[in-house]
Amino acid sequence: MEKKATSPAPAPKPAAAATKGKGGLNPALVIPLLFAIALCVYIFVLGAPEHFKDGDHAKGPIDGDYYGIVYKGGPIVPILMTCFLIVLTFTIERLITLNKASGSGSIDSFVRKLRSLLDKNQIEEAIKECDKQKGSVGNVVKAGLLKYKQLTTETALDKEQKLAALQKEIEEATTLELPMLQKNLTIIATLAGASTLLALLGTVIGMIKAFAALGTSGSPDSAALATGISEALINTALGIGTSAIATISYAYLNSRVDDLTYSIDEIGMSLQSNFAAHY
């Protein structure tokens, strides 16, 4: 029995350990696919002949036809459309992932119940609650509880060493969960700024065309001038809209991740305090 106590088996890792790096969409596959979709929409939907006078792009869009108007925004439009689709796709994907990570029921209720069980030193009941929760918080806390249970029979370590081992177990379990929660958030954050810059590029291109029309000899080409200004404004609108959506999306999703991390930290501290009080 003494030999078993001095060489305890490591506590099982949370479920995220088996799926680390495999959760969520792969940007290397998704982004080119979304660009292809945006390009097809730009060419075959926005650029369809029925949106232009006599079916001719050179004659401009039919009055009030927004499909044709957006098409005249130029080559930056499909890139901005791709940015919008990327933000939309990864926002939906992150919402689904974070909802699964939150588990069943209220996180706050779960935290309160776990703290109550820990105050009563009911470790087995707390482990069962983690199994019911089925989320990232439950995974991390379960790993900590299993280590807690193991350390109660450990005789080779003193109290400080046991607390350090328990803290390390919780930190390792949290480290395994966080990449799955934060995956693809960087892409959304990047597009919040990149969309504005791409819009500015489209705006500059449109204004170059507009000023080129003003610089023609004789009377200015009013049609070319209007086309250039229209192109500039279309790109500006698409870029600013995409950037605004990306900024709001990132802020909301990041706050969700922070809430989960805070809940994990809160229970982790309770777990260590409980162990210190009882052992």
Side-chain angles (χ1 to χ4, degrees):
M1 293 296 294
E2 184 67 25
K3 184 177 180 181
K4 290 182 180 179
T6 56
S7 56
K13 298 297 180 186
T19 58
K20 184 181 179 183
K22 295 183 181 180
L25 298 175
N26 185 353
L29 298 176
V30 173
I31 292 176
L33 177 62
L34 293 178
F35 176 72
I37 292 173
L39 194 60
C40 289
V41 170
Y42 177 74
I43 295 174
F44 300 110
V45 178
L46 301 181
E50 60 265 25
H51 302 306
F52 296 87
K53 297 174 182 177
D54 299 328
D56 187 357
H57 291 169
K59 293 183 178 180
I62 298 173
D63 294 339
D65 192 312
Y66 290 102
Y67 288 91
I69 292 172
V70 174
Y71 177 84
K72 297 300 286 185
I76 303 297
V77 169
I79 300 176
L80 290 171
M81 290 174 60
T82 302
C83 293
F84 173 76
L85 291 176
I86 292 171
V87 170
L88 184 63
T89 300
F90 284 124
T91 296
I92 294 173
E93 181 259 346
R94 285 294 88 197
L95 286 173
I96 294 172
T97 299
L98 291 175
N99 284 336
K100 289 182 179 179
S102 297
S104 58
S106 168
I107 290 289
D108 292 336
S109 298
F110 173 72
V111 171
R112 287 195 298 270
K113 191 165 189 178
L114 257 291
R115 294 185 68 176
S116 175
L117 291 173
L118 288 174
D119 289 339
K120 300 174 185 176
N121 203 30
Q122 296 177 338
I123 306 303
E124 290 296 339
E125 289 76 4
I127 292 175
K128 291 178 182 179
E129 286 298 322
C130 292
D131 291 332
K132 293 178 183 178
Q133 204 269 340
K134 298 178 181 179
S136 292
V137 178
N139 289 340
V140 174
V141 176
K142 182 179 179 181
L145 289 169
L146 292 173
K147 187 67 174 180
Y148 182 111
K149 185 179 177 181
Q150 174 194 336
L151 290 171
T152 57
T153 59
E154 174 62 63
T155 58
L157 303 176
D158 60 29
K159 186 174 183 178
E160 293 299 324
Q161 290 174 321
K162 289 180 180 180
L163 285 172
L166 180 59
Q167 182 180 2
K168 182 179 179 182
E169 185 68 24
I170 295 172
E171 289 175 351
E172 288 179 353
T174 304
T175 301
L176 290 171
E177 290 286 343
L178 280 181
M180 183 271 291
L181 298 178
Q182 296 175 333
K183 185 177 181 182
N184 297 329
L185 283 183
T186 304
I187 295 175
I188 298 176
T190 301
L191 289 178
S195 297
T196 305
L197 294 176
L198 288 170
L200 180 60
L201 176 61
T203 302
V204 170
I205 292 174
M207 295 308 294
I208 289 173
K209 293 180 179 179
F211 281 107
L214 285 174
T216 56
S217 58
S219 60
D221 187 341
S222 58
L225 175 62
T227 299
I229 295 175
S230 175
E231 180 176 336
L233 295 177
I234 289 168
N235 284 286
T236 301
L238 287 175
I240 291 176
T242 300
S243 178
I245 294 172
T247 301
I248 295 170
S249 172
Y250 176 77
Y252 173 73
L253 295 172
N254 196 50
S255 68
R256 290 280 302 273
V257 174
D258 288 343
D259 289 343
L260 290 174
T261 305
Y262 175 77
S263 298
I264 292 172
D265 292 341
E266 183 180 359
I267 299 181
M269 291 297 295
S270 297
L271 195 58
Q272 294 175 63
S273 299
N274 179 271
F275 187 90
H278 290 86
Y279 299 95

